[in-house]
Amino acid sequence: MASSLLPQSPGFLPYYLIYSGVSAILHSVACYRLEPARSLQAFSGPARPPLTGLLARVYATKNLYTGLIRLYAAYHVADNPQLYDLAACTFAGVLWLYGTELAVYGTVRLREASVPFVTAGAGLVWMLVQRGWYRGL
């Protein structure tokens, strides 16, 4: 029963997509349910924005669709090249978000941006390097 819930594609990328998708959705739930000061702790740089409910919900919505794309892609990495590329774009989007917030706007510090940089960077590089292999299945 449990094995029928797991992706059937070979390799570990589908599991990484599940991990990152579930993580994004859980953070989305936290942004909707918790106080903005708790759910948006990453935005604690020198130019920190006001942590409002609206900001938390916008961030939650971004995390929700990002997580759903990654979860869906986990089950279709070998048979849907457009979805594969879209999932890779979600990692690029996270790098863009935290990169600009760190370097341009100053709303995050490197300490808070390091986890998204590592996880999104690893996911994007992995997907770019392995694209040909997964497309050849």
Side-chain angles (χ1 to χ4, degrees), residues 14-102:
Y15 299 103
Y16 187 76
L17 290 170
I18 289 173
Y19 157 74
S20 62
V22 168
S23 296
I25 291 171
L26 289 175
H27 191 252
S28 179
V29 170
C31 287
Y32 277 116
R33 304 279 298 154
L34 300 177
E35 292 295 319
R38 289 188 60 208
S39 62
L40 298 174
Q41 290 177 349
F43 297 99
S44 60
R48 175 184 183 156
L51 300 180
T52 65
L54 175 61
L55 179 62
R57 291 185 300 274
V58 168
Y59 196 67
T61 302
K62 188 272 306 173
N63 278 340
L64 182 62
Y65 70 72
T66 296
L68 291 172
I69 289 168
R70 290 177 189 169
L71 283 175
Y72 197 77
Y75 293 91
H76 299 281
V77 293
D79 62 352
N80 191 328
Q82 295 84 9
L83 188 57
Y84 188 98
D85 293 342
L86 187 60
C89 286
T90 67
F91 291 120
V94 169
L95 290 173
W96 176 260
L97 171 71
Y98 280 93
T100 56
E101 295 301 325
L102 176 68

